[in-house]
Amino acid sequence: MFALIDCNNFYVSCERVFNPKLNKKPVVVLSNNDGCAISRSNEAKALGIPMGAPAFKYENIFKENDVEVFSSNFPLYGDMSSRVMNILSKFTPNIEIYSIDEAFLKFEGFENYDLESYCQEIKHMVLKWTGIPISVGIASTKALAKVANRIAKKFPSQTKGVYLINSEEKRINALKWLKIQDVWGIGFRHAERLKNIKVNTAYNFISLEDGWVRKNMSVVGLRLKKELEGKSVLNLEEHRSPKKAIATTRSFEGTITDYEKIKERILTFAVCCAEKLRAQNTNCNSVYVFVRSNKFQKNKTQYRNGILVTIPFSTNSNMVIGKHAIEGLKKIFKKGIHYKKAGTVVMGLDSSNNHQLNLFENEDPRHKYLMKTIDFIQKKEGQNKIKLASQDLRRRWKMKQEKLSPNYTCRLSEIIKVK
DNA sequence: TCTGGGGTCCTATGCCTT
DNA sequence: TCTGAAGGCATAGGACCC
């Protein structure tokens, strides 16, 4: 059996742990740049604030209803997440950390356990030790555990936050209840197509023919169908495979038309990717650069483009990755466009101790020592103390984070005070 | 004026080699 | 040397997740 543990309104719950006066009030956490709502308390959901609501459009609703609004504080959420995961791992040896607020547990050899009450125990323990409320769905496959979790969350008074699908009747009823757009693995596009052919629930979906699903939704769709039918095909992925790409992308505060300004941003993104590479001891052998205009400004010329630049050797040097990124930018930059977003993605990752050497062209060995020194100084003196000459040396563009809460658990100077 | 960021997997396509 | 078939590989794009 699989259990899916999901933290309720996770980011909001993290804020509430350290600020109990937020309980019972509408609370919203915004994305980077204070752009849109990415976590909402139940009270905020009840006000009709949808997921991804642009903050500027909902400003009035926030004000009129006394909504408590926060900028996202990822160091805090990451730390709270690892505390929760830590507790979960005490209840079964088989755990897959699926995302910052979700984990799959597998119960093998638990035949004599009453899983429902066992999971109630998990729930109480997590709440007691971290202050984070969770919901638990239990079923024979991962996709069905997701369905069960949704029921647990939707009907807290009946389920007490834990729901178990352990009979055909329960499975069928659950699938008949679940709207097609709410099925795990069915996104906006597929949901629209399916609704067009009168497939409105998960139950309608499993009534389709395998061949149709395979043809129109690829093996991914077919796997999902099997899972919902109760045949387990998705296994627990306990050991996360190493990352295949690392990205640094940002939307700008306004729009940028000037090449030099975009170049400076791209260079900074590239350096940021290089730092992330070094932090996890890997190299890359290519860098993808992309730029795009504001997709919401329909009256302006729309343009989006990206290019993959291959680096002839494996590297994690600021200068090398930066140089290749700029080469790519030169090829895709178009004059007269109001750019809104850009980014770099490093790809072709391998361990920096064990990388392929190139017969003709290799990295200047001095870079390795230089990068080590830079990282050392950054760590000691703080980020952004050392920059490449072509990065903007005076001004520092910064993310908009006007409503940031303290890093209660991960910065000593911001630790919570008890009076 | 103001609409996030960071990932994964799958498939189609086109080129190259055998 | 040419030709067609088949497989490998890189790339781009679409779809999904949180």
Side-chain angles (χ1 to χ4, degrees):
Chain A
M1 293 295 267
F2 292 93
L4 174 69
I5 315 284
D6 193 319
C7 301
N8 302 346
N9 316 328
F10 183 55
Y11 300 162
V12 165
S13 297
C14 288
E15 298 292 346
R16 279 179 168 166
V17 169
F18 300 95
N19 195 347
K21 71 168 190 230
L22 300 175
N23 289 335
K24 309 235 158 100
K25 290 184 77 175
V27 185
V28 161
V29 174
L30 301 179
S31 63
N32 277 347
N33 260 327
D34 291 351
C36 36
I38 53 170
S39 181
R40 304 153 295 146
S41 69
N42 291 344
E43 297 79 4
K45 287 176 192 173
L47 288 173
I49 300 166
M51 185 64 170
F56 75 94
K57 276 193 183 170
Y58 282 79
E59 216 157 299
N60 286 337
I61 294 187
F62 292 165
K63 262 189 204 143
E64 285 161 15
N65 298 283
D66 255 346
V67 179
E68 298 276 354
V69 180
F70 289 88
S71 304
S72 39
N73 186 343
F74 288 108
L76 176 69
Y77 310 150
D79 182 65
M80 291 306 288
S81 170
S82 58
R83 288 167 193 239
V84 172
M85 300 306 168
N86 218 334
I87 295 167
L88 296 181
S89 63
K90 298 195 191 313
F91 286 87
T92 169
N94 307 115
I95 171 168
E96 169 187 345
I97 297 171
Y98 181 72
S99 74
I100 192 161
D101 74 327
E102 273 178 56
F104 283 103
L105 307 185
K106 193 172 183 183
F107 295 117
E108 257 173 346
F110 282 67
E111 286 77 17
N112 297 325
Y113 277 65
D114 173 357
L115 284 181
E116 219 167 335
S117 51
Y118 192 61
C119 287
Q120 283 291 355
E121 202 182 311
I122 298 180
K123 191 184 146 213
H124 288 137
M125 205 58 100
V126 171
L127 184 64
K128 190 172 165 190
W129 287 1
T130 65
I132 301 287
I134 61 172
S135 302
V136 188
I138 318 156
S140 57
T141 72
K142 285 169 112 179
L144 285 172
K146 269 268 184 190
V147 178
N149 186 284
R150 228 187 157 85
I151 294 172
K153 214 172 247 178
K154 189 83 187 177
F155 306 101
S157 50
Q158 291 99 312
T159 61
K160 298 197 172 60
V162 176
Y163 190 70
L164 167 69
I165 295 180
N166 57 350
S167 72
E168 269 305 279
E169 195 194 347
K170 277 184 169 180
R171 182 178 72 88
I172 299 297
N173 283 341
L175 295 183
K176 283 184 175 166
W177 167 80
L178 187 64
K179 293 197 200 93
I180 190 68
Q181 65 267 28
D182 296 334
V183 176
W184 182 45
I186 304 281
F188 176 77
R189 286 284 154 80
H190 283 326
E192 292 300 302
R193 280 176 69 190
L194 289 166
K195 279 189 238 168
N196 279 336
I197 57 164
K198 302 261 184 298
V199 172
N200 294 308
T201 65
Y203 186 74
N204 295 153
F205 175 65
I206 60 164
S207 312
L208 290 167
E209 276 181 26
D210 280 3
W212 188 92
V213 175
R214 174 67 181 85
K215 186 161 168 271
N216 292 282
M217 300 173 67
S218 87
V219 292
V220 183
L222 192 56
R223 278 203 286 256
L224 174 65
K225 180 164 180 265
K226 296 291 155 205
E227 284 263 316
L228 293 175
E229 286 167 351
K231 297 175 198 108
S232 176
V233 291
L234 299 175
N235 281 322
L236 205 67
E237 289 171 33
E238 291 171 73
H239 308 288
R240 225 185 330 195
S241 43
K243 276 192 189 165
K244 294 174 179 164
I246 292 176
T248 306
T249 72
R250 289 288 178 280
S251 296
F252 309 140
E253 320 77 65
T255 52
I256 299 183
T257 49
D258 184 35
Y259 172 76
E260 287 302 320
K261 283 192 180 136
I262 284 258
K263 180 180 151 190
E264 182 266 324
R265 300 286 177 116
I266 290 290
L267 197 59
T268 304
F269 296 153
V271 167
C272 184
C273 281
E275 281 165 359
K276 290 179 188 172
L277 283 172
R278 296 199 295 278
Q280 57 162 54
N281 217 12
T282 46
N283 284 308
C284 72
N285 64 20
S286 52
V287 53
Y288 180 80
V289 184
F290 75 88
V291 291
R292 66 169 309 165
S293 53
N294 190 342
K295 63 179 173 184
F296 298 103
Q297 283 182 342
K298 299 262 185 325
N299 54 339
K300 294 224 172 89
T301 315
Q302 292 292 315
Y303 175 67
R304 55 186 289 184
N305 205 352
I307 187 170
L308 183 69
V309 185
T310 308
I311 304 173
F313 46 86
S314 256
T315 180
N316 57 25
S317 151
N318 289 1
M319 285 94 84
V320 177
I321 297 172
K323 190 186 104 186
H324 285 86
I326 298 305
E327 264 174 36
L329 175 66
K330 272 184 206 153
K331 291 188 185 139
I332 56 171
F333 181 84
K334 219 164 90 176
K335 263 192 168 170
I337 301 292
H338 293 257
Y339 293 98
K340 178 64 185 171
K341 185 172 178 171
T344 61
V345 187
V346 288
M347 304 163 104
L349 271 46
D350 62 22
S351 148
S352 53
N353 308 319
N354 175 30
H355 65 266
Q356 190 92 37
L357 291 173
N358 188 298
L359 193 53
F360 301 108
E361 209 174 338
N362 282 301
E363 184 160 79
D364 183 335
R366 291 174 300 180
H367 280 207
K368 200 172 152 190
Y369 298 103
L370 181 57
M371 290 305 124
K372 255 196 181 151
T373 311
I374 289 180
D375 289 339
F376 178 76
I377 296 173
Q378 303 264 45
K379 205 171 172 189
K380 206 169 150 206
E381 304 292 332
Q383 292 294 307
N384 293 310
K385 291 287 174 194
I386 301 183
K387 294 184 174 188
L388 297 181
S390 36
Q391 286 179 260
D392 194 330
L393 300 178
R394 283 153 302 155
R395 238 181 7 180
R396 264 181 54 199
W397 35 274
K398 243 188 114 188
M399 213 163 48
K400 191 173 156 199
Q401 280 188 316
E402 287 173 351
K403 289 146 186 169
L404 191 62
S405 55
N407 281 303
Y408 299 105
T409 64
C410 36
R411 186 168 296 169
L412 215 46
S413 59
E414 297 179 16
I415 203 162
I416 196 160
K417 292 186 183 85
V418 181
K419 286 181 187 159

